[in-house]
Amino acid sequence: MIDFEKSSVFRLSPCDPRDIAPSVAPIIIAGEEIVLCFKGARDFVVFTNKRLIAVNVQGITGKKRDFTSLPYSRIQAFSIETAGTFDLDAELDLWFSGLGNVRLEFKGRADIRQIGHLIGSYVL
């Protein structure tokens, strides 16, 4: 499982879902669709219509990958923090039943309100 305490791993920027889709296709279930994708230096996060998939790329070659599936149905609460004048990163905090807090940091170009709306539409 990914260590979500190391938030620097998840400094994410928006990316094209077509670039990420082949990597997560083997674990996507029937009826599940990719909605949003964000990429860090090597790791990436995929928001589908059913869950959040966090992918930790490991090793020198990057062939080894850890896929962590976080279903929206297990979210108990969430919080978004928009970017400011000096703090250009936005943050998403999710509290999962049985897991605890997961924090994702997004670089300035990410629309954190859109992400909050997406999470709210599946959780509330």
Side-chain angles (χ1 to χ4, degrees):
M1 167 124 18
I2 294 173
D3 182 4
F4 290 102
E5 295 298 317
K6 296 180 182 179
S7 60
S8 62
V9 172
F10 292 100
R11 292 186 48 117
L12 305 162
S13 295
C15 65
D16 190 334
R18 293 174 292 194
D19 296 337
I20 301 298
S23 297
V24 295
I27 64 168
I28 298 292
I29 63 170
E32 186 173 20
E33 299 173 8
I34 295 173
V35 179
L36 294 171
C37 296
F38 297 88
K39 189 163 178 37
R42 292 177 56 166
D43 304 331
F44 56 93
V45 173
V46 177
F47 291 87
T48 75
N49 59 330
K50 300 194 178 287
R51 61 185 161 163
L52 168 69
I53 302 169
V55 181
N56 181 5
V57 179
Q58 302 173 357
I60 295 171
T61 64
K63 290 184 178 184
K64 183 176 180 179
R65 295 174 179 207
D66 176 73
F67 294 83
T68 301
S69 177
L70 303 164
Y72 297 136
S73 63
R74 304 294 290 172
I75 295 175
Q76 294 179 315
F78 69 97
S79 169
I80 61 170
E81 181 179 306
T82 61
T85 303
F86 298 107
D87 181 6
L88 300 177
D89 295 333
E91 297 171 358
L92 171 65
D93 282 299
L94 303 161
W95 286 269
F96 286 88
S97 174
L99 178 63
N101 181 286
V102 170
R103 172 173 280 183
L104 301 175
E105 294 183 14
F106 298 87
K107 293 183 181 177
R109 295 182 333 163
D111 185 350
I112 193 69
R113 289 182 180 100
Q114 178 189 21
I115 298 167
H117 186 268
L118 172 79
I119 298 295
S121 67
Y122 292 119
V123 173
L124 302 176

